[in-house]
Amino acid sequence: MLPVLLLTFALALAAPALVARLGRQAFWVLSIGPAAAAAYALASTGRVQAGDFPVSSTPWVPGLDLSIDLRLDTLSWLMLVVVGGVGALVLVYCSAYFSRDAEGTGRFAAVLTAFAGAMIGVVTADDLLLLFIFWELTTVFSYLLIGHYADRKASRRAAMQAIVITTAGGLAMLVGLIVLGVAADTWRISEVVANPPTGAPAVVAIVCLLAGAATKAALIPFHFWLPAAMAAPTPVSAYLHAAAMVKAGVYLVARFAPAFADAAVWRWLVLLLGGGTLLLGGYRALRQHDLKLILAFGTVSQLGLIVLLVGMESRALALAGLAMLGAHAMFKGALFLVAGAVDVAAGTRDMRKLSGLWRSMPVAATAAALATASMIGLPPFAGFVAKEAALEGLWHDATHGGGGYMAAALVAVVAGSGLTVAYSLRFLWGAFATKRAADGAAHEPTPVHRRSWMLILPPLTLGLLGLLAGLAPAMGERLLGPYADEYPAGEPGHLVLWAGLTPALGLSALVLAGGAVLFWQRQRVERLQDRLWSPRAADLVYRRTMRRLDDVAADVTGATQRGSLPVYLGIILVVLALAPGAVIASGLLLGTTVEPAAVAWDQPAQAAVVVVVVIAAILATRARRRLKAVVMVGVAGYANAGLFLLHGAPDLALTQVLTETVTLVVLVLVLRRMPSYFSDRPLPASRWVRLALAVVTGAVMMALTFTAPLARVADPISVDFPDEAVEYGGGNNIVNVTLVDIRSWDTVGEISVILVAATGVASMVFLRQRSGEMLRLSQVDGDASDEQTRDVWIVAGRTLDPERRSVMFEVVTRLIFHAMVLVGLFLLFSGHNYPGGGFAAGLMVGIALTVRYLAGGRYELGEALPLQPGLLLGTGLFLSAGVGLVALLTGNEVLESVIIDLHVPVLGTVHMVTSLFFDIGVMLVVIGLVLDLLRTLGAEIDRQSDTPSRPAARTEVAS
């Protein structure tokens, strides 16, 4: 099964290239995937009948015990034949449906083929979570298919409507699947059905599963999205809305019905959803004039019928429902394809504009007649066999203890079947009959512009298959009977062409007669429907609900998105303080939280540092000048570094100091383009509010820090880090080895975020192209020679105005720049065993570049490191991730370190770990980030705000 599934998805990926190469004929190649699925199912018929169900289990995420579990039982066998067989015919049909110059054919072919693959996954999945994944894939692909004509408002609206409704149902279904998996202690669908949970979990799961089925199968009150989806191309309607997607909802009901059909909540929900949809869809179909809309509402009605049959606990009804499922796929798929052929040939689907097509399109009329005969239940078609079995089962259960429940179901099926006869005849007459005017004169035959056998053969094939299936009811009973035997109650049913003069036969005659009368009096029926009161349409309710939701969203957005960063931050901090604070306070009051034994300090120096932090924080919250607030925040940060150092964490202290330095510089650079004060008016009250909020938030976070470790029930994984750092990482610096080895995947993600952040900041500041040009000294002093720049302290210092230069700063910069770079390299190479590492090294080099920029301006930055930041960022990320790929070549896991000990003459033994290259990548990313920030918030803002500085005269430099 898995190869068939992979083949279909592989064809979907290749579809655009195939269409570009072969044109419309590529659909023939793409049909191989669904055809292979149907062929596999047919080849496995013997094993399925014998109960030796083919299974496949492929590990997917072993760490989470997830695997791709596939299983082919009787229900999956039938669905795979339907999905694969009809899918192959529809793809062949597409080769003639689209014009040669149609736009988006490659995309359409890829999505339709991928949808077929997703449906194959849905019907064969034997894992609850895998079922949900394929289920949601069908939702996404159907959205793309329904909205294929993106330039049409109706298509866009229908696609959005479909994905909103089916996604909501899918989320509800996910809840039900999780409840089932947890309650049954297994994620295998076959095991859940064999031993279903009971009690409250079962009720919750039933409601959620039926909600998902109702949205996907277009049951009331979610039925309206299916007729709206007729805006899609006809092949989509034939496949998704007759044979595949909506059948996913039916499949879900049929899959879990053997486990839950005897539950009261299941029975009544199925009766209301199935019976109500059956009647409403048939009623609405009687007043439609678009051929596809007649079929769409008819599909809604038929889906309600099938859900009603397979959702009950009777074996006979289950057999009839499965037979109806197969028959429906054949006759409704054929009718949709015929409607598409009529649309292509006549240029319209409005039955009021069609006349006499039975003469100009006799083969299409024949295919439509065969499918219609099966749909209304004429012998000897498959639809008749299934309908007779359903009526017989309902009559038996209603008269043998079924009570009002079965009686109501019988009445609904009889009435709905009569409506089916009426709208089926309406479709056949509307598409092909010769219409007459009020005076009895025949209308002119509708001209036919385009004909193709490929538009006729697929529906004719389906129509003939419906006849052949009806002629072999015993075979159908033998194939489908094992599934019906899984139901908990009822007598076994039978599929026969002639069962004698039974009440079911009488009901069939009543259905045909009543439907014929409704068709005969169709004009009066339409007028009566217009006069009758009807409740507000569900689609109107949906649109108004979405409009109200948009209004509420706009009001909420207007109230919360005020453009004030203090308000946003204040809301975040209030929620942060209230949510954990309420939990901690309630725990203390109820005695469920253990009060921690806190130690004030280990040494008095710690208390002194804390006093500095508190004073700096208070001054920061009360500051009106932005620069004062930034400086106070920096003081608090440096004091925290001292606190880390006093607690014996030099690595954290070093990183904190370096990070605080870079942050302080960046904030000062940003402040150059901002007002000096937070507000033009003194607001002492707001400062006290900020202070109170800061105190409360800090207290809650401190309490959370105390209490959270007490809630731990298992040993933390970090207890093994010291041994793992030495054994696997080859280093004694646990912090650095953790970053580059133990949790290297996290580090890759973090440096990726750094790269994205740097790109975003630069994109907002650069007014020209994103990369920007490097500002080099040669741009303003192109003829400067080495002799003239060799003896100056800062190469580009003369580009600054004299009043902005500091000789002392330039001298200090010249003395410490190279030393800082060397210290950075030392931190890089020593970080595996001593404080340091690639992150600290990158920050140290970044600070060195910052000093050069502050001393010499934007041109000095270009001279200090004449490289684009993107080159450093990309190289660093590639190097860090590339180390993980290299590990695979040595037979290790991705990003696993390899320890190499070499004996080098004179130097002795050299201990090297491959994670060093990962650390180098981290350093390059950090340097690239700092350089990007300096070029963006420094050099580029300098260029935008100042006129280009001219170099001072040579005589001034010489002097």
Side-chain angles (χ1 to χ4, degrees):
M1 284 178 284
L2 185 59
V4 172
L5 185 64
L6 295 178
L7 171 64
T8 307
F9 280 116
L11 288 171
L13 292 175
L18 289 174
V19 171
R21 178 71 175 175
L22 303 177
R24 296 183 301 173
Q25 303 309 312
F27 284 102
W28 286 84
V29 179
L30 299 176
S31 67
I32 295 175
Y40 173 81
L42 293 174
S44 304
T45 303
R47 293 184 60 186
V48 173
Q49 287 294 294
D52 180 22
F53 302 136
V55 295
S56 172
S57 182
T58 305
W60 181 17
V61 186
L64 299 178
D65 197 24
L66 293 179
S67 59
I68 302 177
D69 295 322
L70 306 177
R71 184 172 182 263
L72 191 69
D73 58 6
T74 303
L75 178 60
S76 297
W77 175 87
L78 174 64
M79 290 297 299
L80 195 58
V81 171
V82 169
V83 170
V86 178
L89 290 175
V90 169
L91 285 168
V92 171
Y93 179 90
C94 290
S95 65
Y97 180 82
F98 292 100
S99 60
R100 299 181 186 276
D101 57 348
E103 294 183 2
T105 305
R107 181 183 70 252
F108 176 87
V111 178
L112 185 60
T113 308
F115 177 85
M119 277 302 303
I120 293 171
V122 166
V123 301
T124 58
D126 193 33
D127 183 271
L128 294 173
L129 298 181
L130 186 65
L131 169 66
F132 174 75
I133 290 173
F134 284 121
W135 181 282
E136 288 304 290
L137 283 178
T138 63
T139 298
V140 174
F141 293 143
S142 66
Y143 165 76
L144 297 174
L145 291 170
I146 295 172
H148 174 68
Y149 298 121
D151 56 333
R152 304 177 185 177
K153 181 179 179 180
S155 295
R156 297 195 303 271
R157 185 169 62 183
M160 183 60 66
Q161 185 172 270
I163 196 171
V164 167
I165 294 172
T166 54
T167 300
L171 293 176
M173 185 190 76
L174 176 62
V175 175
L177 296 177
I178 293 175
V179 170
L180 278 183
V182 174
D185 196 25
T186 178
W187 297 98
R188 287 290 183 95
I189 297 177
S190 54
E191 296 176 0
V192 172
V193 174
N195 188 22
T198 57
V203 174
V204 173
I206 287 172
V207 174
C208 292
L209 291 177
L210 290 180
T215 56
K216 187 73 80 170
L219 305 180
I220 58 172
F222 310 108
H223 60 282
F224 57 91
W225 73 261
L226 179 61
M230 294 302 107
T234 296
V236 175
S237 303
Y239 191 36
L240 274 70
H241 308 137
M245 177 183 173
V246 292
K247 290 288 174 50
V250 176
Y251 169 79
L252 189 69
V253 174
R255 173 57 68 197
F256 291 100
F260 300 113
D262 57 345
V265 63
W266 176 283
R267 298 175 67 208
W268 287 105
L269 282 177
V270 165
L271 177 62
L272 294 175
L273 293 174
T277 305
L278 168 63
L279 297 175
L280 180 63
Y283 177 82
R284 293 288 300 275
L286 292 180
R287 61 190 306 177
Q288 305 302 321
H289 299 284
D290 187 302
L291 295 181
K292 283 179 65 175
L293 283 180
I294 295 175
L295 296 177
F297 282 104
T299 299
V300 169
S301 178
Q302 292 284 303
L303 291 172
L305 171 63
I306 301 173
V307 167
L308 187 63
L309 296 177
V310 300
M312 294 187 172
E313 56 182 329
S314 169
R315 294 186 178 94
L317 295 181
L319 179 62
L322 222 58
M324 183 62 73
L325 189 153
H328 179 268
M330 291 183 285
F331 63 66
K332 195 55 67 72
L335 291 176
F336 268 112
L337 295 180
V338 167
V342 170
D343 189 13
V344 170
T348 181
R349 298 192 306 262
D350 192 334
M351 56 183 288
R352 294 167 295 188
K353 300 178 182 179
L354 298 172
S355 181
L357 289 185
W358 68 276
R359 294 181 181 274
S360 53
M361 301 180 67
V363 180
T366 301
L370 292 173
T372 302
S374 182
M375 185 161 65
I376 65 178
L378 287 180
F381 292 89
F384 170 79
V385 174
K387 185 188 68 175
E388 285 294 294
L391 292 175
E392 179 65 34
L394 286 169
W395 178 269
H396 179 274
D397 291 341
T399 56
H400 290 76
Y405 175 78
M406 282 298 178
L410 177 61
V411 171
V413 170
V414 171
S417 298
L419 296 174
T420 300
V421 173
Y423 68 70
S424 300
L425 295 176
R426 178 184 176 86
F427 171 86
L428 188 62
W429 170 82
F432 297 101
T434 299
K435 312 298 192 308
R436 297 185 179 277
D439 57 359
H443 290 295
E444 290 292 328
T446 303
V448 175
H449 307 289
R450 176 183 165 197
R451 304 182 186 181
S452 174
W453 279 103
M454 285 299 100
L455 295 178
I456 304 302
L457 289 180
L460 182 62
T461 301
L462 290 173
L464 291 174
L465 287 175
L467 175 60
L468 294 176
L471 293 173
M475 178 182 296
E477 181 179 339
R478 186 172 65 253
L479 292 173
L480 305 180
Y483 166 76
D485 293 338
E486 299 177 7
Y487 278 67
E491 297 293 329
H494 300 284
L495 300 178
V496 295
L497 267 176
W498 174 252
L501 299 176
T502 63
L505 184 62
L507 292 176
S508 292
L510 177 63
V511 165
L512 292 173
V517 170
L518 288 175
F519 169 71
W520 174 43
Q521 298 294 326
R522 56 189 175 275
Q523 294 181 350
R524 293 184 178 180
V525 170
E526 286 187 50
R527 289 195 296 269
L528 179 61
Q529 286 181 313
D530 291 336
R531 289 196 299 268
L532 287 177
W533 175 87
S534 60
R536 184 166 293 170
D539 56 343
L540 179 61
V541 174
Y542 166 81
R543 289 198 298 272
R544 289 188 176 181
T545 301
M546 297 304 293
R547 192 177 300 116
R548 298 293 185 272
L549 185 61
D550 288 341
D551 293 340
V552 172
D555 294 339
V556 172
T557 301
T560 57
Q561 302 297 318
R562 308 167 62 96
S564 172
L565 292 178
V567 171
Y568 299 157
L569 184 59
I571 293 174
I572 294 173
L573 293 179
V574 167
V575 174
L576 181 64
L578 291 180
V583 175
I584 296 172
S586 62
L588 291 174
L589 292 175
L590 297 176
T592 57
T593 299
V594 179
E595 295 187 10
V599 178
W601 58 73
D602 296 322
Q603 47 186 307
Q606 295 173 349
V609 173
V610 170
V611 170
V612 174
V613 173
V614 170
I615 294 175
I618 293 175
L619 293 177
T621 56
R622 290 181 50 80
R624 289 187 57 234
R625 292 180 63 92
R626 298 179 189 272
L627 182 59
K628 177 182 177 182
V630 168
V631 172
M632 289 299 102
V633 170
V635 171
Y638 287 121
N640 269 311
L643 201 58
F644 292 148
L645 187 61
L646 292 173
H647 277 82
D651 244 14
L652 293 178
L654 174 63
T655 304
Q656 175 72 18
V657 168
L658 297 176
T659 304
E660 200 65 46
T661 302
V662 173
T663 304
L664 190 59
V665 171
V666 170
L667 289 176
V668 171
L669 292 176
V670 172
L671 292 182
R672 295 184 303 166
R673 301 297 296 270
M674 300 182 71
S676 300
Y677 290 87
F678 288 107
S679 174
D680 294 332
R681 295 176 292 111
L683 299 174
S686 65
R687 286 182 282 170
W688 285 108
V689 171
R690 291 197 299 268
L691 180 60
L693 181 58
V695 171
V696 172
T697 304
V700 169
M701 294 307 300
M702 182 177 66
L704 184 63
T705 305
F706 272 127
T707 57
L710 301 177
R712 185 183 297 278
V713 296
D715 292 335
I717 60 173
S718 59
V719 298
D720 298 324
F721 280 12
D723 295 333
E724 292 179 352
V726 177
E727 182 178 357
Y728 303 116
N732 296 310
N733 184 350
I734 303 174
V735 175
N736 184 255
V737 174
T738 300
L739 292 175
V740 300
D741 186 291
I742 299 176
R743 53 176 291 270
S744 51
W745 273 117
D746 293 343
T747 305
V748 170
E750 290 163 1
I751 61 178
S752 301
V753 172
I754 289 176
L755 189 148
V756 173
T759 303
V761 171
S763 299
M764 289 189 294
V765 173
F766 273 93
L767 301 180
R768 301 169 295 170
Q769 61 179 352
R770 159 65 182 88
S771 61
E773 60 179 341
M774 287 183 294
L775 301 175
R776 301 293 304 278
L777 183 61
S778 58
Q779 295 175 249
V780 297
D781 196 9
D783 59 346
S785 60
D786 291 340
E787 290 78 5
Q788 294 169 330
T789 60
R790 182 178 302 164
D791 297 329
V792 296
W793 293 104
I794 295 296
V795 177
R798 64 181 181 277
T799 62
L800 297 176
D801 293 332
E803 62 271 14
R804 296 175 57 186
R805 296 184 65 181
S806 171
V807 177
M808 183 64 69
F809 194 11
E810 293 180 6
V811 172
V812 172
T813 300
R814 179 67 176 266
L815 293 175
I816 69 172
F817 173 76
H818 299 91
M820 294 179 69
V821 173
L822 290 177
V823 170
L825 294 177
F826 171 79
L827 293 175
L828 170 68
F829 289 105
S830 67
H832 219 59
N833 292 288
Y834 303 98
F839 188 75
L843 289 174
M844 180 61 73
V845 176
I847 293 174
L849 294 174
T850 303
V851 172
R852 284 286 293 269
Y853 162 71
L854 295 176
R858 58 186 185 273
Y859 292 104
E860 184 67 23
L861 182 63
E863 297 295 332
L865 188 59
L867 293 175
Q868 289 287 359
L871 179 62
L872 295 173
L873 290 166
T875 303
L877 183 61
F878 175 79
L879 187 59
S880 296
V883 173
L885 300 179
V886 172
L888 293 176
L889 301 178
T890 61
N892 298 315
E893 297 290 337
V894 177
L895 291 175
E896 182 178 349
S897 298
V898 177
I899 303 173
I900 303 173
D901 290 319
L902 301 175
H903 182 74
V904 180
V906 180
L907 295 179
T909 302
V910 176
H911 178 76
M912 187 179 71
V913 185
T914 54
S915 58
L916 170 66
F917 299 98
F918 186 98
D919 228 4
I920 294 175
V922 173
M923 182 188 72
L924 293 178
V925 169
V926 174
I927 295 175
L929 171 66
V930 176
L931 181 62
D932 210 2
L933 292 175
L934 291 175
R935 294 183 67 248
T936 305
L937 303 176
E940 180 64 13
I941 290 182
D942 289 344
R943 191 196 63 80
Q944 295 176 16
S945 59
D946 298 341
T947 57
S949 299
R950 293 178 298 177
R954 299 283 175 79
T955 56
E956 295 178 0
V957 174
S959 62

